[in-house]
Amino acid sequence: MATAIHEVSPADASAHPAAESIVVRFAGDSGDGMQLTGGQFTLSTALAGNDLATFPDFPAEIRAPLGTLFGVSAFQINFGSTAIETAGDMLDVLVAMNPAALKTNVDALKPGGLIIADEGEFNQRNLDKAKYAANPLDDDSLARWQVLRLNISQLTVDAVKPFGLGNKDALRCKNMWTLGLALWMFDRDRQPLVDWLKAKFAKAPTLAEANIAALNAGHAYGETAELGGGVRQHAVPAAPAEPGLYRTVTGAEAISLGLVAGAQLASLPMFFGGYPITPASAILHHLSRLKEFGVTTFQAEDEIAAIASAIGASYAGQLGVTSSSGPGIALKGEAIGLAIMTELPLVIVNSQRGGPSTGLPTKTEQSDLYQAVYGRNGDAPMPVIASRSAADCFEVAIEAVRIATQYMTPVMLLTDGYIANAAEPWKVPDTSALEPFPVAFLEQAPADGFLPYARDEKLARPWVKPGTPGLLHRIGGIEKKQGTGNIDYSPANHQEMTDTRKAKVDGIAVPDQQVELGEASGKLVVVGWGSTFGPIHQAVRRARRKGLDVAHVHIRHIWPMPANLGVLLKGYEHILVPEMNTGQLKTVLRDQFLVDAKPLNKVSGQPFRIAEIEEAIAAYFDGVPGNEGGEVPVNAQQLPTPQSGHDDGTLRGTSSPQSDPSATTRDGDATRRDADAPQSAG
């Protein structure tokens, strides 16, 4: 075939510079291996030196009916030559493995973006399941995008035919064919994936070779088919990074490592009592692999048994830890009150998900803040801290252990489904630089007698291991007498103990609140907590580049709050609080500091887009129709849909739940599996 050759002049090159970041989404049935495909593409991207952020999005069902709209599993990655903070807003490339994947994801593709569709799956049966009246590949409904229709299913079957696989097993390799094409498009090295496949199927070399053949076939197709249009190789240069040792960690893995580090800094063995629940189960999985660090893991029969066992371990002199999501935290509520009453150290991790009840098990939300701060019977104060990203979970977990052991109190650590499933490049810290906070157990009675509820300068009571001679004491959920710990129902004593428990938590020393971006006073401050950090930071950065007087404050210590926070917030004329709930932090800020905080709420199960917060900031400064006077929209769903969405920030973002430094994949939780790789890489 004759082809025309065009010399690219310097003027042409400068007029069409390489994109600093690209957003790609792989979408298909849960059994199509989209999470695995995205994870391995993420690994190759990390090895190429790009910074990246990902968003795994999958259904709650173990295996939804094939071809249905609610059974679509997707994996989005934003990667580039600059530091990446979020998984991106609008897509540049959508890989759709069936009609349902196309229908549920195509509206996220920016105009002119590329659709790669497996036309072999666009049969009448699948079109009916996706509720298409006609084949969208054959009409004009996709006219505003570029469409590359390939019979990926048949091309995969042809590629693996020499290995004697049945049609079903052959089709399970089509995610590797798709991955091979993606590796060609973005000039990625195949060898790490080949090595991974050989290791994965070491006991089934035929399956390894079939998947490698599919991978190579997809890559070769891109090289030789002269696809034309927007389908060409895109070279994305490596992103700058500080020198050092890096690895990728999921949020769940970073929490696990942080808990172990905290226990080591406190000179304690650790006991984890947990019960499987999405998306918190991965913490149990990771900790079970860390036994060499003095970690004992226990999968209990239910949520109550899980936390009760952890409280028992704390009573016995270990660091008790438990984790769950909102429904499980509700079941643990009475036992949390027991830990508060007995004043024992305990770390409780809440990986928030959409609710109420079972709600949206695999989607993200921030709707458990009220539950964390207020959600127990009686006046039962408890410290609450929140992580902003996957890597931040490491430091936050250490902080939770420090507070729990130094103040003899349970502590709740809040993450969410997005943080738990995502991961990010993490610069491994120098462990010798971490400041120890060793626990001192009381080992003999003081000269003036033993009082199990005596107080130190932090109002913390002594920690006594059971069986220590001369230090026998009573413990339980009934009100204690100040000092002796004996049962005491008297009004004056209950008043004193309630006030003391509150004063202990109120007096916890937390760092002063810092301004993440902008000035310490001004027109508008955007206040966030948890995983909204990335989109808020990017939106504020963009707004400041336009000359707008806006700042970003992000709160880690939810309860007690930093001592300077009230004064800081009152230095701004207006306060905007984006949250993935109906306005919970906003209400707490109003209550604690009497400030007129305004909400920006999103409860769709999806994280904020940068553009949604950017539009809300612009609405304050410019006004929008029906919204004059500097007010901001209270619902992110009411905002206009953005037309572009590349990240442009300077901080690190998130990556794949499957990517890690040794190129192995992370197991899913015990209650819901995507079934991405049962016998083949598919």
Side-chain angles (χ1 to χ4, degrees), residues 82-99:
T82 60
I84 300 297
E85 182 62 35
T86 78
D89 284 8
M90 301 296 282
L91 310 178
D92 294 291
V93 179
L94 170 63
V95 179
M97 303 300 286
N98 63 15

Side-chain angles (χ1 to χ4, degrees), residues 421-463:
N421 288 322
E424 65 180 335
W426 176 54
K427 186 177 180 182
V428 179
D430 178 4
T431 55
S432 64
L434 300 176
E435 184 177 353
F437 42 87
V439 166
F441 291 97
L442 185 63
E443 297 181 345
Q444 63 181 27
D448 55 353
F450 170 51
L451 293 175
Y453 279 79
R455 308 285 173 177
D456 63 11
E457 70 281 358
K458 297 185 179 73
L459 298 181
R461 78 177 188 89
W463 197 356

